[in-house]
Amino acid sequence: MKVDVLTLFPEMFAPVTGSSILGRAGEKGLLYINLINIRDYSSDKHSKADDTPFGGGPGMVMMAQPLFDAIRSLAAPQEAGLDTPAPAGRRPAGRRMIYMSPRGRLLDAALIRELAAEEELCLLCGHYEGVDQRVLDYWQFEEVSIGDYILTGGELAAMVLIDAVARFIPEVLGSSESVEDESVYSGLLECDQYTKPRSYEGLTVPEVLTSGNHKEIALWQYENSLALTQSRRPDLLRAYLEKEPELSKAEKKILQKVVAKPPL
Ligand code: 4FL
């Protein structure tokens, strides 16, 4: 997968591109992060990339010109000219364009899965008060939010998206780590975890986990996940119950027991 990132601060991505898992994915050719410094495309002699908003108000707005030129440099040549609009149903830049923005669709497991299936993505990181709307309209940007809060810029949000999406690319994770087993992806929160020693200053590990009885352990973990999900994320539990998960007889019994209990 190739991810083009349009940013005013490409150096902010170094910890992500150099991290152990994503760095390895880059070296193996599984993930290519193409950092594009928007300023490099400014036609202004001082490389200006932002200006004051029409209509007044605080802050600065990222200008259309540097962004249009940066995006044109990515787009397929036949789609790159403004005089030849993209054919109906075709993406103007030939790929999904994503503007990291608190106005957008909330990033969740479903969206991450969807994006991981793409060959190429382009992420735009905003700063200041935002981006000239003509950029978002013309290039058909989708807006994606990582939560209801404002950051100092879209870069951290883009890194969150890249990290979460990369884990779905086959071979990015080691064989011992499976994406599908995990909490939100199965629909339930992850169960409690323990490691050695069995007793630490008198604090003990639930006995079943050290019993060696794999069936009993799996059932304890299932019950623990269900109970946690019910008390912390009743919204997730409702969605899980609606999806009619494939369950064994023993699991169904546990599900009935947990659901019958009022939440903690
Ligand atoms: C982007 C916040 C996505 C949450 C400032 C600029 C943001 C953000 N999700 N804050 N972009």
Side-chain angles (χ1 to χ4, degrees):
M1 169 181 253
K2 182 179 176 214
V3 184
D4 304 296
V5 182
L6 299 162
T7 171
L8 290 167
F9 300 98
E11 66 283 356
M12 277 185 75
F13 288 80
V16 168
T17 55
S19 77
S20 59
I21 291 183
L22 296 193
R24 211 183 332 123
E27 283 161 18
K28 286 204 257 174
L30 302 170
L31 175 69
Y32 173 50
I33 300 175
N34 180 32
L35 297 169
I36 299 150
N37 189 340
I38 297 163
R39 227 175 270 289
D40 292 346
Y41 290 87
S42 172
S43 54
D44 176 78
K45 61 177 182 293
H46 303 295
S47 301
K48 191 177 157 73
D50 61 304
D51 211 331
T52 54
F54 276 124
M60 302 291 267
V61 175
M62 288 166 69
M63 293 158 63
Q65 178 275 317
L67 283 167
F68 266 80
D69 286 347
I71 296 164
R72 276 196 202 100
S73 79
L74 297 174
Q78 71 274 17
E79 291 166 335
L82 279 184
D83 45 332
T84 52
R90 199 105 82 75
R91 296 177 175 137
R95 71 206 73 182
R96 281 177 87 158
M97 304 294 282
I98 294 172
Y99 173 43
M100 305 311 302
S101 153
R103 303 198 308 189
R105 170 178 171 190
L106 210 50
L107 185 67
D108 64 5
L111 180 52
I112 288 162
R113 248 184 236 281
E114 237 182 69
L115 296 177
E118 297 288 324
E119 202 64 45
E120 188 159 14
L121 289 177
C122 178
L123 309 183
L124 168 58
C125 308
H127 263 265
Y128 321 119
E129 295 312 304
V131 171
D132 191 306
Q133 187 62 32
R134 290 169 291 188
V135 174
L136 306 180
D137 290 343
Y138 182 84
W139 296 103
Q140 293 178 22
F141 273 90
E142 305 166 47
E143 299 189 30
V144 171
S145 167
I146 63 162
D148 293 336
Y149 38 79
I150 311 292
L151 304 166
T152 56
E155 282 77 11
L156 283 167
M159 286 185 251
V160 167
L161 186 151
I162 292 169
D163 192 278
V165 166
R167 300 177 71 262
F168 272 96
I169 302 170
E171 297 175 76
V172 164
L173 292 186
S175 52
S176 65
E177 303 136 296
S178 151
V179 193
E180 296 298 330
D181 279 0
E182 283 170 297
S183 61
V184 282
Y185 301 119
S186 73
L188 296 175
L189 299 183
E190 195 87 39
C191 69
D192 298 339
Q193 302 288 336
Y194 299 87
T195 187
K196 290 178 274 299
R198 284 178 188 219
S199 175
Y200 174 72
E201 298 191 4
L203 304 172
T204 55
V205 171
E207 213 168 288
V208 56
L209 294 180
T210 58
S211 68
N213 184 333
H214 298 296
K215 230 171 159 171
E216 284 300 315
I217 291 171
L219 291 176
W220 181 91
Q221 290 174 327
Y222 183 56
E223 180 167 355
N224 186 262
S225 279
L226 280 173
L228 270 174
T229 309
Q230 184 180 47
S231 68
R232 295 188 189 172
R233 294 294 305 276
D235 58 318
L236 289 183
L237 187 68
R238 268 192 298 278
Y240 176 79
L241 295 176
E242 268 162 36
K243 133 182 134 166
E244 288 193 35
E246 279 175 37
L247 299 176
S248 68
K249 229 172 162 170
E251 285 171 328
K252 278 186 193 152
K253 222 170 109 184
I254 288 173
L255 180 60
Q256 275 162 8
K257 186 173 91 178
V258 171
V259 172
K261 260 196 277 189
L264 300 171

